[in-house]
Amino acid sequence: MKIWLNGGLRELESARVSVLDHGLTVGDGVFETLKAVDGLPFALTRHLDRLARSARGLGLPEPDQDEVRRACAAVLEANPMALGRLRITYTGGLSPLGSDRGEAGQTLIVALGETPRRPDSTAVITVPWTRNERGAVTGLKTTSYAENVVALGRAHERGASEALFGNTVGRLCEGTGSNVFVVLDGEIHTPPVASGCLAGITRALAVEWTSAQETDLPLDVLDRADEIFLTSTLRDIQAVHRVDGRELPGAPGPVTAKAMRIFDERSGADLDP
Ligand SMILES: Cc1ncc(COP(=O)(O)O)c(C=O)c1O
């Protein structure tokens, strides 16, 4: 397995960053996860735009887009696989032992792992912890994901594959690594970005392609929604068949199934929408 680290391809086993890298010591970094099908990345331009936005949000210099594109192409070419998770990580780099950032320059890593295709439906739980819709890094895809690690661990303990958060004012927000949609009276709704969720790329495409509406929703909408689905880079659109103790028999329901079909068609027809 070859990965990209700071300017070139390296063997994964011998690639090294400093133990004082600010990404490691304080989570000062941003990242993207892309889907790669048969060696081709999906929605690369949107992911690079979001990476730049996240970097700006942390006060990091924007990564060199040409270098990141070259790195992605090189890693994909060096490691052929049917379905890959392509991960771009960009951190504050070698820094002092505190929250101040050093001046040694940033760390850029592009790595790839093989991944199975997700099932068409899954179980989710809600968690009692909140997303903060007013934080300094709200909406940025930072490497500070420990809250998501804890919540996802809770989901796995309960036989679910995702944990959903409300925000500080009790509104539905998002999952640890996905956005959430509900179907009410035949209409598709998803929380607005102001809820504190990440502006998911799959979410944006689903809104565009299915005319879903962005609606401020209470967390307990999950108790009564006719259908629920998740979106993310590696889930695409995935139906929910259980939320906490509530079963949604027959998931994917008709509205979700149609959205899944449209998403497959549109994403298959254009690799960089
Ligand atoms: C917190 C969070 N929300 C939502 C998403 C979904 O975003 P995307 O569709 O861009 O993968 C992700 C990404 O994986 C995420 O980490």
Side-chain angles (χ1 to χ4, degrees):
M1 169 66 61
K2 285 195 165 58
I3 67 149
W4 185 277
L5 172 61
N6 293 337
L9 279 179
R10 331 250 175 222
E11 287 299 333
L12 175 62
E13 290 70 25
S14 53
R16 295 284 177 271
V17 296
S18 169
V19 295
L20 300 183
D21 192 288
H22 228 207
L24 173 64
T25 54
V26 302
D28 174 25
V30 296
F31 77 103
E32 285 296 321
T33 297
L34 289 82
K35 177 174 68 166
V37 181
D38 296 328
L40 297 173
F42 179 67
L44 179 58
T45 302
R46 285 180 187 254
H47 282 282
L48 293 181
D49 287 349
R50 189 172 62 188
L51 184 71
R53 228 170 33 245
S54 296
R56 278 200 306 276
L58 285 197
L60 285 168
E62 285 184 26
D64 177 344
Q65 293 229 353
D66 290 340
E67 185 191 349
V68 182
R69 278 183 187 271
R70 259 186 295 121
C72 291
V75 169
L76 287 166
E77 195 189 334
N79 307 283
M81 60 184 67
L83 184 58
R85 168 197 283 256
L86 185 67
R87 157 93 186 206
I88 306 167
T89 308
Y90 178 71
T91 79
L94 178 63
S95 297
L97 286 172
S99 294
D100 283 322
R101 189 178 288 149
E103 286 167 7
Q106 296 70 44
T107 301
L108 173 68
I109 302 164
V110 178
L112 181 68
E114 196 151 21
T115 184
R117 184 168 161 75
R118 92 290 184 270
D120 279 350
S121 79
T122 194
V124 304
I125 62 162
T126 54
V127 286
W129 310 299
T130 55
R131 276 286 194 256
N132 177 4
E133 69 281 7
R134 295 182 294 120
V137 297
T138 301
L140 308 180
K141 199 162 166 71
T142 79
T143 57
S144 302
Y145 257 40
E147 287 207 311
N148 293 322
V149 173
V150 172
L152 189 58
R154 168 76 63 96
H156 290 323
E157 276 168 26
R158 307 265 157 103
S161 80
E162 181 58 305
L164 299 179
F165 292 90
N167 65 15
T168 67
V169 289
R171 303 274 133 182
L172 181 63
C173 187
E174 66 174 347
T176 68
S178 64
N179 292 106
V180 58
F181 288 67
V182 296
V183 178
L184 302 168
D185 296 327
E187 307 271 345
I188 309 176
H189 301 267
T190 193
V193 168
S195 70
C197 67
L198 185 74
I201 286 164
T202 323
R203 171 188 179 279
L205 294 173
V207 166
E208 220 173 289
W209 292 343
T210 71
S211 60
Q213 301 165 48
E214 299 183 71
T215 311
D216 204 18
L217 299 159
L219 185 58
D220 68 9
V221 75
L222 299 173
D223 300 338
R224 54 190 157 80
D226 302 319
E227 302 175 30
I228 303 170
F229 63 83
L230 305 178
T231 62
S232 83
T233 288
L234 293 175
R235 294 179 194 265
D236 294 331
I237 292 178
Q238 184 182 40
V240 169
H241 62 240
R242 189 176 77 234
V243 52
D244 294 324
R246 180 183 175 215
E247 302 283 342
L248 291 115
V255 177
T256 305
K258 186 172 170 204
M260 290 165 89
R261 247 184 348 261
I262 293 170
F263 191 89
D264 280 352
E265 277 167 26
R266 297 289 298 261
S267 61
D270 183 358
L271 280 187
D272 201 15

